[in-house]
Amino acid sequence: MEEIDRRIVTLLAHDGRMSFTDLARETGLSVSAVHQRVRRLEKRGVVRGYAAIIDHDAVGLPLTAFVSIKPIDPAAPDDAPERLAHLAAIEACHSVAGDESYILKVRVASPVALEDLLQQIRASANVSTRTTVVLSTPYEHRAPHVASEPASDQDRPA
């Protein structure tokens, strides 16, 4: 990826609503050049979408927890993500190494709602759970550090 594209990705990661005019000003490119580069980044799947960041407390989902799951029967098919996809309270599902198979990030309205969700997870996917409740979140949704690619062997001096 070219350095200018890295800069555009970094800027969009910090502010997905940044205008093409502002991107052009920050990168030193013309508005049309920035527009073409952004469209190319979207087409290549580097920029996969733009999303609003929601205040979960304001929409009635103040409780966040991480739920580690592992199958009760290790010989059963590894289909927990598909079996749990219908549960809207699950915000993210990560396949992990270690004792558990997946870690789920969930958001619910209350401890009672969390208890209900845990029962649904266990019943839907035939898994055991281990839950960690989040007390506070100092930061989240941080923009990634888009580092420059290391020089190839061809580019290094001999």
Side-chain angles (χ1 to χ4, degrees):
M1 181 184 302
E2 294 179 39
E3 192 58 39
I4 194 71
D5 288 339
R6 284 182 210 293
R7 178 78 176 130
I8 291 169
V9 168
T10 299
L11 291 166
L12 286 174
H14 281 92
D15 180 2
R17 295 183 65 179
M18 184 176 265
S19 70
F20 291 125
T21 303
D22 290 340
L23 283 168
R25 184 179 324 108
E26 291 290 326
T27 60
L29 297 173
S30 70
V31 172
S32 64
V34 165
H35 185 264
Q36 288 175 345
R37 284 180 178 270
V38 169
R39 293 295 172 241
R40 189 173 344 124
L41 289 165
E42 291 170 346
K43 189 174 182 178
R44 288 180 26 215
V46 175
V47 176
R48 296 186 344 198
Y50 304 88
I53 297 174
I54 306 301
D55 178 344
H56 292 91
D57 290 346
V59 297
L61 299 170
L63 195 155
T64 302
F66 291 95
V67 180
S68 300
I69 64 171
K70 68 178 176 180
I72 290 175
D73 176 6
D78 184 11
D79 59 357
E82 293 82 10
R83 290 174 169 235
L84 298 173
H86 70 282
L87 298 173
I90 300 175
E91 183 176 298
C93 176
H94 303 277
S95 175
V96 296
D99 245 4
E100 285 86 10
S101 301
Y102 296 93
I103 296 178
L104 313 173
K105 181 179 181 182
V106 304
R107 293 192 192 263
V108 293
S110 66
V112 170
L114 177 60
E115 188 173 24
D116 290 344
L117 177 63
L118 291 173
Q119 289 175 354
Q120 291 175 34
I121 289 169
R122 290 182 195 120
S124 295
N126 196 28
V127 294
S128 63
T129 61
R130 186 174 55 85
T131 304
T132 303
V133 173
V134 174
L135 299 177
S136 68
T137 304
Y139 52 83
E140 128 179 280
H141 304 295
R142 294 172 66 173
H145 173 70
V146 185
S148 297
E149 293 176 322
S152 68
D153 289 337
Q154 297 173 4
D155 297 335
R156 291 192 180 107

